[in-house]
Amino acid sequence: MRGLDLIDAAKSAVEAICPGVVSCADILAFAARDAFNLLVPGGCLYDVPAGRRDGNVSSFQEALDNLPAPTNTLSQLETTFAAKGFSLKELITLSGAHSIGQAHCFSFQSRLYPYDSTQIDPSFAQMLQGKCPQNATVNGVVTQDFVTPDSLDVQYYTNVLNNKVLLFSDWALRTDPIALTTIVSYSTDNLLNLLWRPDFIKAMQKLGQLDVLTGTQGQIRATCGAVNP
Ligand code: HEM
């Protein structure tokens, strides 16, 4: 996972001043809030309640069981999100995060050889083929949003409408008429930020309160990558 070193650095800085108090779960929620503030045009800091505690176990399998996959259809994505209390609208809203960052070739390579021109814009597919050659020995990384790569904006939704998104799961969002209506309305929200931004903030705050441990549950980890000995 790219960026985990930053979480470790934040954790070390906090531990040096105030050991055993601030959880990695809180640091992660604050880091997401701060990344949003840095990347969203004009900046915007939303409130993040604190007091989360860290888990007593760390399980690769548990993550796989709970996270959606880039090969998921819309109905699979809906099921995964619904299992955590998130609606189709919130799925569309949160997916806007794919307006920044990168993806490894392995996350979408199966869409390229061969590509389906009804699902991926041919010139975009050919550009991606150049970045992710079929028999490459290195697993390359590719920018998710080629139009405004470092801006957390609604360009993602235009990219979805133009079939210029990396993941099958991104494209899949447009396969339902109700979802498509939301995508179209978000895509037109670029200057005013009245629609997507408040929805995204609300959904991020809800995500940050999902399955949290509080009080005496769990632990405050000393390092984020491992449970306490
Ligand atoms: C809808 C279901 C989702 C699926 C299937 C999905 C899948 C993925 C995949 C496969 C990658 C590329 C990983 C790699 O190859 O290194 C990725 C990247 C990313 N995703 Fe998602 N994601 C989903 C939802 C979300 C949500 C809800 C958020 C945040 C609110 C999010 C934020 C990101 C970010 C920021 C990146 C770029 C990471 C980087 O630059 O290293 N994604 N996602």
Side-chain angles (χ1 to χ4, degrees), residues 1-3 67-72 77 81 90-91 93-108 139-142 144 156 166-167 169-170 173 200 204 207:
M1 194 172 140
R2 292 191 329 120
L67 285 171
T71 48
N72 280 175
L77 293 171
F81 273 66
E90 287 167 324
L91 161 62
T93 306
L94 286 169
S95 295
H98 288 177
S99 163
I100 45 148
Q102 300 178 331
H104 287 83
C105 292
F106 70 64
S107 299
F108 58 89
N139 181 21
V141 282
V142 176
Q144 302 215 83
Y156 169 79
L166 298 183
L167 311 179
S169 54
D170 292 321
L173 299 182
F200 187 77
M204 285 300 288
L207 197 58

Side-chain angles (χ1 to χ4, degrees), residues 42-57:
C44 176
L45 267 178
Y46 59 83
D47 289 335
V48 176
R52 297 167 191 77
R53 291 173 59 87
D54 300 319
N56 287 328
V57 288

